[in-house]
Amino acid sequence: MEKDTSVWWKTGVIYQVYPRSFQDSDGDGIGDLQGVINRLDYLSKTLGVDAIWLSPFYPSPQADFGYDVMDYCNVDPVFGDLTVFDRLLCEAHQRGLKVIIDIVPNHTSDRHPWFVESRSSRENPKRDWYIWQDAKEDGTPPNNWLAVFGGSSWEWDETTQQYYLHSFLKEQPDLNWRNADVREAMFNVYRFWLDRGVDGFRIDVAHYIMKDPEMRDNPINRDPSKGELKPTGDYDKLLHIYDKGHPDVHGVYHDLRDILDSYSPPRYSVGEIHIAEWKEWATYYGQNNDELHMPFNFALLVAPWKAAAIRKVIENVEKVTPSWGWPNYVLGNHDEPRIAGRLGVEKARQAAMLLLTLRGTPTLYNGDEFGQKNVEIPLEEQKDPWGKRVSGTGRDRNRTPNQWSPEANAGFTPAGVTPWLPVADDYRTVNMECELKESRSILNLYRKLLAFRKLSAAIKSGTYELIDPTPADCFAFLRQSGHERIITAFNMGETTARFDFHRFGRLEIIVSTGMDRAGLADSRYVDLSPWEGLVLRVL
Ligand code: GLC
């Protein structure tokens, strides 16, 4: 059945801006909110996305580059101030762009005034705002829980002689969401930004906020296939069933949904939920359209680029998304290796076509539309605390500055300034300015797909149907809305593949990943070169 897709977050395309790396406007080598404002025309007109998600810009000691928040209701001076934020919001809205901001509810910075109070004494009224436990008799931590970023997730506090919990860095103590005052304080944070006019939230590690109240030890993981989506050293030696995702988490998102729905128009939420088990992942949609609007779906970030694997991901998503829910797909973010780095540019072009024609909301990561790759940075120069602690997990490589032009520093920051992370060596050719002039660039492929999507009800909101059979190593699907029928086909193999589409009648090629074909297709069969993708209209 075709869905009601009258809301922007179903039909629109979300673009993640990682503010530190997007555009520097004041010459300190770090991107900022004014820089984002300066690029809004690019986002709304040149590229043509519908919403931006801003990674954290709050006051922060930057131990985890902003995911350690010191004040949830302000802007770090490095990024600007509340006036600049308000201007950004207003300028984005004037251009028809929605603005989603990142909320980090699981933990604060250890320098947040709440934690400073909490750790000051056992009697402090904010003591219970965080998760404090006595040591075991032998002085060791209360249980075997491990921090995602390495080591135990318990840190000893000399002054008050107890351990506090931190699921990430010790500079990121976990809030106690079982305390009603914490809940209210955090809901007030959401209200603060809603009242300012934001359109929604991306909720950081949304499933972590509720842990086992009995704090039981996590069991040993005897089956490596049951690990997290991304192997992270010792962390995967345990099954993380007690340190996150306790069923009580659903009550919190149920209450949050009431808050979001109380605004007019209702505001949007998407949770960062890393759960490999599809059915459990889908529970975050709620029981009856009453929790998050979407849990982010990260499966394409890790799936092998093979027809069978991709097809399986889509089958799973289509199967578990509840009838009222809406699927979504992500190709990149500030935590994962870049798609053009992982797969190469040719497959990244297929990935762009897949993302922008599937049924579901696409989320793009800044710079991926230029085909930016990962930049390997020597360990001694790395900034990411995770990469410095656990070998192979560094995220600096996918956070390097956006490549805007062939000028020095790629137009991210003025020549002569040292950017906070190095600009990739390929910036003289891989950049917005050059790619706009090059008719077959990946940027122009993105633009073409985005422009076509805007006009196509079949792609924005139509039904999804697998086309089967297809040649080996191939994958194709049909999107349909009313009389409009659009086919997307991929050859994910090394030899030319011949698709028999004759049952559809006459077909017109809308765009190919190579941007080198258009017009009527042969009515008997359509050949796709190795690693080609095609969007076709059924006439
Ligand atoms: C999320 C963020 C990541 C951050 C972590 C801890 O996974 O995406 O960047 O390091 O949470 O806040």
Side-chain angles (χ1 to χ4, degrees):
M1 216 181 51
E2 207 179 315
K3 292 301 219 39
D4 166 27
T5 48
S6 44
V7 285
W8 66 265
W9 51 267
K10 288 185 178 171
T11 54
V13 175
I14 302 174
Y15 180 98
Q16 180 188 359
V17 171
Y18 190 69
R20 286 187 81 82
S21 303
F22 193 64
Q23 177 69 65
D24 177 18
S25 76
D26 59 4
D28 64 358
I30 300 175
D32 45 49
L33 296 187
Q34 183 58 48
V36 181
I37 297 176
N38 297 349
R39 293 293 180 188
L40 287 175
D41 279 339
Y42 161 75
L43 294 170
S44 59
K45 298 195 189 109
T46 313
L47 185 61
V49 295
D50 304 277
I52 54 172
W53 146 32
L54 293 169
S55 285
F57 47 75
Y58 313 106
S60 161
Q62 310 289 335
D64 187 21
F65 295 107
Y67 285 93
D68 47 325
V69 180
M70 225 161 67
D71 177 356
Y72 286 105
C73 299
N74 216 328
V75 175
D76 194 294
V78 111
F79 296 121
D81 55 28
L82 280 173
T83 312
V84 186
F85 178 84
D86 287 342
R87 206 164 56 234
L88 192 168
L89 198 57
C90 174
E91 297 249 357
H93 285 166
Q94 276 170 5
R95 290 165 175 81
L97 282 174
K98 305 286 181 194
V99 177
I100 301 166
I101 62 169
D102 218 308
I103 291 279
V104 189
N106 180 66
H107 43 267
T108 66
S109 159
D110 60 345
R111 287 171 46 195
H112 193 294
W114 297 343
F115 189 69
V116 173
E117 275 198 53
S118 183
R119 78 184 314 175
S120 66
S121 89
R122 289 201 190 191
E123 285 70 45
N124 186 279
K126 294 226 164 40
R127 184 65 171 180
D128 185 51
W129 280 40
Y130 293 82
I131 301 174
W132 292 95
Q133 288 283 307
D134 289 332
K136 280 191 184 153
E137 261 172 31
D138 61 359
T140 56
N143 65 24
N144 71 351
W145 292 0
L146 295 175
V148 176
F149 290 165
S152 166
S153 52
W154 295 98
E155 181 70 12
W156 180 247
D157 180 57
E158 262 315 315
T159 321
T160 58
Q161 297 284 301
Q162 275 191 316
Y163 281 99
Y164 68 84
L165 183 74
H166 59 91
S167 298
F168 294 85
L169 295 174
K170 69 175 172 33
E171 292 83 1
Q172 296 169 296
D174 282 29
L175 280 163
N176 177 14
W177 274 82
R178 297 189 181 278
N179 179 310
D181 294 338
V182 168
R183 248 165 129 124
E184 203 38 40
M186 285 306 295
F187 284 156
N188 283 337
V189 169
Y190 285 97
R191 290 187 185 103
F192 173 87
W193 293 104
L194 288 166
D195 292 341
R196 279 199 121 75
V198 304
D199 301 286
F201 301 97
R202 176 266 187 189
I203 305 173
D204 190 63
V205 288
H207 53 319
Y208 274 69
I209 61 172
M210 280 293 182
K211 299 102 172 85
D212 177 34
E214 291 172 44
M215 306 256 167
R216 280 169 279 190
D217 275 351
N218 276 323
I220 305 293
N221 181 9
R222 297 189 195 286
D223 174 2
S225 69
K226 289 223 178 78
E228 298 291 297
L229 288 180
K230 181 171 165 182
T232 50
D234 282 350
Y235 191 73
D236 266 356
K237 293 191 177 145
L238 298 180
L239 281 177
H240 294 273
I241 58 174
Y242 292 129
D243 53 357
K244 61 181 177 189
H246 186 276
D248 290 346
V249 70
H250 296 290
V252 175
Y253 292 121
H254 190 273
D255 292 352
L256 175 64
R257 183 62 178 266
D258 284 345
I259 296 173
L260 299 176
D261 285 349
S262 72
Y263 283 77
S264 178
R267 310 296 163 82
Y268 164 74
S269 58
V270 56
E272 185 204 11
I273 312 267
H274 287 277
I275 294 176
E277 168 46 52
W278 284 104
K279 279 208 179 109
E280 194 193 338
W281 170 83
T283 60
Y284 286 81
Y285 283 103
Q287 292 300 309
N288 186 24
N289 200 11
D290 53 1
E291 289 187 33
L292 299 175
H293 295 82
M294 291 171 189
F296 261 142
N297 165 20
F298 298 122
L300 289 182
L301 289 171
V302 288
W305 208 252
K306 298 217 156 71
I310 301 296
R311 183 173 154 162
K312 188 81 201 148
V313 165
I314 295 150
E315 239 170 65
N316 280 325
V317 174
E318 288 288 329
K319 192 157 80 200
V320 300
T321 305
S323 57
W324 68 81
W326 188 245
N328 78 91
Y329 295 89
V330 175
L331 271 196
N333 63 35
H334 64 294
D335 292 327
E336 302 292 336
R338 285 194 180 268
I339 188 93
R342 179 167 83 92
L343 301 177
V345 178
E346 209 175 17
K347 292 175 198 165
R349 293 173 82 108
Q350 282 197 331
M353 183 174 278
L354 178 70
L355 181 80
L356 294 172
T357 56
L358 275 173
R359 189 179 86 100
T361 306
T363 302
L364 314 178
Y365 177 51
N366 58 200
D368 279 355
E369 76 273 31
F370 310 144
Q372 282 190 219
K373 301 183 196 72
N374 299 304
V375 178
E376 292 313 329
I377 298 170
L379 191 57
E380 56 288 0
E381 284 163 39
Q382 283 183 27
K383 303 266 166 61
D384 178 23
W386 194 3
K388 290 203 259 187
R389 294 167 60 94
V390 183
S391 144
T393 58
R395 298 166 293 179
D396 292 341
R397 60 181 166 209
N398 47 285
R399 294 176 176 177
T400 60
N402 249 41
Q403 296 164 209
W404 298 106
S405 76
E407 289 151 38
N409 281 332
F412 163 70
T413 192
V417 174
T418 307
W420 81 284
L421 282 177
V423 173
D425 288 343
D426 62 8
Y427 77 89
R428 283 182 199 82
T429 48
V430 178
N431 66 65
M432 176 195 73
E433 224 174 271
C434 294
E435 291 186 36
L436 282 175
K437 292 184 204 139
E438 211 188 290
S439 59
R440 294 179 187 174
S441 65
I442 185 165
L443 176 57
N444 278 324
L445 174 64
Y446 266 100
R447 293 175 67 223
K448 172 111 194 186
L449 287 163
L450 284 160
F452 178 65
R453 199 189 142 86
K454 267 201 168 58
L455 302 173
S456 167
I459 290 185
K460 281 189 296 191
S461 53
T463 53
Y464 166 90
E465 192 190 311
L466 179 74
I467 297 177
D468 204 21
T470 45
D473 301 325
C474 289
F475 171 58
F477 54 87
L478 176 73
R479 304 290 316 280
Q480 177 159 8
S481 170
H483 293 299
E484 188 193 9
R485 287 190 295 166
I486 304 292
I487 292 172
T488 307
F490 296 104
N491 179 0
M492 296 181 175
E494 301 292 347
T495 52
T496 299
R498 176 157 291 188
F499 284 72
D500 176 1
F501 283 145
H502 84 271
R503 74 172 161 108
F504 294 105
R506 292 171 66 227
L507 298 175
E508 179 199 355
I509 297 172
I510 304 291
V511 55
S512 73
T513 45
M515 301 202 63
D516 50 359
R517 325 164 53 172
L520 278 188
D522 190 301
S523 55
R524 289 155 301 162
Y525 53 77
V526 180
D527 283 343
L528 265 74
S529 328
W531 302 110
E532 190 183 11
L534 274 188
V535 178
L536 303 133
R537 185 197 299 283
V538 181
L539 295 171

